[in-house]
Amino acid sequence: MTTMKRISTWPPLFLLPVFLSFPFVLEPLGRDQGYFAYGGWRILSGELPYATFWANTFPGIFWWYAFLELITGGGKIPVALGNGVLIGATAVVLSKIIGRRAGRIAACAYGIGAVLLHRFWDMGQAEQLLNLLLVLSVWCADRKRAVWAGLLLGGAILTKPIGVLFLPFIWRKGACRPLFCGLSSAALIFLLPYFLVGGVKSVVNDLIIFNVGYGGTRWDVSLGVRFVRALGQWLVGIYPAIVLGIVAVVFGWRKSRALVLWLVLALGAVGLQGKLFSYHWIPVLLPVCGLFGMGAVRVLEAHRRIQVVVILFLLFPAVLQPSMISRTWFPALHEISIGLKRIAGRLTESEYLVQFGDKSAGSDFSALEQHHAAAALRSLPGRSLLVWGFEPGINYLCKKPCPLKYVVDFPLTFLGRGPVAKELRARNRNDFLAGFQERPPDVLVIVSGDSNPVEPVDSEAQLRQFPRLWEIVETDYSSIERIGGYQILLRKE
């Protein structure tokens, strides 16, 4: 009977988010997803992040995209379905951790919320892979499986360094040695290729020195205010989950306190990163859904009068301010609608892609312009391409690799607010120029109109602020076409 229950309960929990992800399957690669896809593609071509192409992102997400690239045979990576698989697997393990009815409700809530609350820009981010590795680590957190818990947590840390915050959460008395063994094994697996090729220094430079130097530019006195405001905006759309989570804590503290600690750690991870982007809140969704499941069971088992009071309390804000919920959930319904129309052939590719960023309307990214630029670049002579901006996704889409280590301009242009950061940026620029002169790219693309909260000046203007490089570009390259925000240049013979 137990075996039958296991067989009958996990497939729906796993397949629900996969099914919900289907309308998003044709969505284009966003800026981050293009970066990850490029890294995965180059790994399968024998390259290593940090050693052969610059990255300050931890390697787990590149490994995941390399796997997606491998199973698609070099085709376009199905980010939406890969994302759905991660969410589905996470939901199943979450149900096992919490157990019984509350676990199934929590898993359904996560399977729905993680897909519909976090779309396009948020799909395929490192946070979804981090969540899966975290729940697996928590599931294995006992003396008998402590090595696996450490190995999985090590994988989570190698996906997103905020995973280290959860080390106290899986710590068990008497399991120190095997846990440390698992963590060490994960680190060794990651570092071994770099020891073999002599690239450990590049790992230190990109992952530690750069992130520490850049991280200092993201923290200031306004962070606390921005965090509270962003938290409020994120919570509004999941108001019912918050109410039932409070019910779980008030009427079942002993059972819910582990999830409360999980929630505190996840919120700390968001604040620690300092950027407060929408996908940074994905780890917070896990403990919130867990508490929601526990609270829902408490209400379902309560007296009918209490149920009525809770339902009225849940509905009151929505009745008072209907747009409160719709602002969060209507965009998902819109993306589902246009996705199904595209799949059914009722929208052309251009009509569909124009829905994802319009620079004329103030967006810093245009999927349609990127698509047209990649198509034009595929037909050009030359094998190597440098994109001056943060869009190596163009390299991936037209299958032209960058000949230089710096596949994005970010380490050369980020705002330096202190001597360490400024010295780091200057050093990166010198390394870039040396590589550019040694291996000049056949094709150059200059991105414009891509200013954003992280970089308030667009890439074309940043290039002009780099006079040594701008002089080389003007002398050695000729412009042949401009497609929206993408200027395409060919190297002169």
Side-chain angles (χ1 to χ4, degrees):
M1 182 64 71
T2 303
T3 303
M4 287 299 294
K5 282 185 178 180
R6 286 180 180 175
I7 293 174
S8 63
T9 56
W10 75 261
L13 297 178
F14 174 76
L15 293 175
L16 174 63
V18 176
F19 174 77
L20 290 175
S21 298
F22 180 71
F24 310 114
V25 72
L26 296 179
E27 288 196 355
L29 294 172
R31 187 180 286 118
D32 288 350
Q33 292 85 352
Y35 173 45
F36 303 147
Y38 177 84
W41 171 49
R42 298 319 300 162
I43 286 174
L44 293 182
S45 300
E47 296 187 17
L48 280 173
Y50 326 116
T52 51
F53 65 89
W54 184 89
N56 70 321
T57 303
F58 275 54
I61 192 64
F62 292 124
W63 298 339
W64 172 247
Y65 273 76
F67 173 71
L68 292 177
E69 179 78 2
L70 183 65
I71 64 175
T72 58
K76 182 182 176 183
I77 288 178
V79 174
L81 290 183
N83 196 60
V85 167
L86 289 177
I87 294 169
T90 304
V92 170
V93 182
L94 180 65
S95 72
K96 302 298 182 185
I97 292 172
I98 298 175
R100 298 186 179 180
R101 197 177 183 186
R104 292 192 292 273
I105 294 174
C108 288
Y110 182 76
I112 296 170
V115 173
L116 300 185
L117 286 173
H118 298 281
R119 308 165 315 280
F120 187 42
W121 286 115
D122 298 347
M123 284 196 306
Q125 294 282 358
E127 280 75 6
Q128 294 290 11
L129 181 58
L130 170 77
N131 271 357
L132 175 58
L133 293 169
L134 278 179
V135 293
L136 287 170
S137 180
V138 172
W139 194 28
C140 294
D142 57 45
R143 292 186 184 184
K144 294 180 180 179
R145 297 182 293 179
V147 172
W148 284 105
L151 185 63
L152 289 162
L153 182 64
I157 296 169
L158 290 173
T159 299
K160 200 84 174 181
I162 57 173
V164 73
L165 295 176
F166 295 87
L167 180 58
F169 196 72
I170 67 167
W171 194 276
R172 296 294 182 272
K173 187 176 181 180
C176 177
R177 184 174 296 177
L179 186 62
F180 178 75
C181 180
L183 286 167
S184 300
S185 298
L188 182 61
I189 292 170
F190 162 54
L191 290 173
L192 184 59
Y194 297 94
F195 281 119
L196 295 176
V197 301
V200 175
K201 183 178 179 181
S202 62
V203 175
V204 174
N205 286 338
D206 291 1
L207 287 188
I208 299 176
I209 296 177
F210 179 84
N211 281 328
V212 170
Y214 169 67
T217 69
R218 301 306 306 161
W219 297 327
D220 53 43
V221 293
S222 69
L223 178 58
V225 176
R226 290 187 287 115
F227 177 83
V228 173
R229 185 184 300 118
L231 177 61
Q233 292 172 347
W234 186 80
L235 292 177
V236 161
I238 57 170
Y239 169 77
I242 303 305
V243 172
L244 292 179
I246 293 173
V247 170
V249 174
V250 172
F251 297 101
W253 168 248
R254 292 188 63 184
K255 291 184 178 180
S256 64
R257 60 186 178 184
L259 284 171
V260 172
L261 174 60
W262 193 333
L263 177 60
V264 170
L265 293 173
L267 288 171
V270 176
L272 187 64
Q273 293 176 87
K275 296 179 183 178
L276 308 179
F277 292 156
S278 54
Y279 55 83
H280 288 155
W281 297 91
I282 292 173
V284 183
L285 194 61
L286 262 178
V288 166
C289 287
L291 291 169
F292 168 78
M294 289 184 173
V297 169
R298 284 279 177 179
V299 173
L300 290 172
E301 294 175 348
H303 191 276
R304 181 158 299 187
R305 291 180 181 177
I306 295 177
Q307 293 176 347
V308 171
V309 171
V310 172
I311 291 172
L312 290 174
F313 198 75
L314 292 173
L315 294 177
F316 178 72
V319 173
L320 190 66
Q321 183 58 266
S323 64
M324 184 178 79
I325 303 296
S326 64
R327 278 199 303 267
T328 299
W329 296 97
F330 178 78
L333 297 178
H334 173 69
E335 284 189 32
I336 288 173
S337 173
I338 62 172
L340 293 176
K341 287 179 181 178
R342 174 61 187 144
I343 291 170
R346 293 170 56 193
L347 288 178
T348 65
E349 186 172 43
S350 294
E351 289 172 334
Y352 181 61
L353 291 177
V354 77
Q355 307 281 336
F356 301 95
D358 182 359
K359 289 189 176 180
S360 65
S363 174
D364 59 11
F365 174 81
S366 169
L368 181 60
E369 290 180 7
Q370 185 190 68
H371 172 77
H372 288 326
L377 289 162
R378 276 193 291 269
S379 64
L380 290 179
R383 298 180 58 187
S384 62
L385 164 67
L386 171 68
V387 179
W388 179 261
F390 197 102
E391 294 191 38
I394 294 180
N395 299 81
Y396 171 76
L397 291 172
C398 69
K399 298 302 182 185
K400 292 182 185 288
C402 179
L404 309 178
K405 177 178 179 179
Y406 294 93
V407 299
V408 295
D409 67 353
F410 182 57
L412 315 171
T413 60
F414 74 96
L415 293 174
R417 296 180 181 173
V420 174
K422 290 179 180 178
E423 192 276 333
L424 179 63
R425 186 179 60 190
R427 188 195 316 158
N428 289 339
R429 287 190 174 197
N430 290 333
D431 291 344
F432 173 83
L433 285 172
F436 196 101
Q437 292 169 342
E438 182 181 346
R439 298 179 303 280
D442 300 321
V443 187
L444 177 64
V445 171
I446 301 172
V447 184
S448 62
D450 59 344
S451 57
N452 57 76
V454 175
E455 294 190 276
V457 179
D458 79 344
S459 295
E460 185 172 11
Q462 288 174 333
L463 178 59
R464 295 175 186 274
Q465 294 171 0
F466 191 174
R468 293 167 63 191
L469 177 60
W470 178 245
E471 182 180 352
I472 295 174
V473 171
E474 282 196 309
T475 303
D476 297 347
Y477 289 83
S478 57
S479 177
I480 62 168
E481 187 176 5
R482 177 179 282 274
I483 300 174
Y486 301 98
Q487 183 181 359
I488 301 174
L489 303 93
L490 279 180
R491 187 166 174 252
K492 297 175 181 176
E493 297 294 336

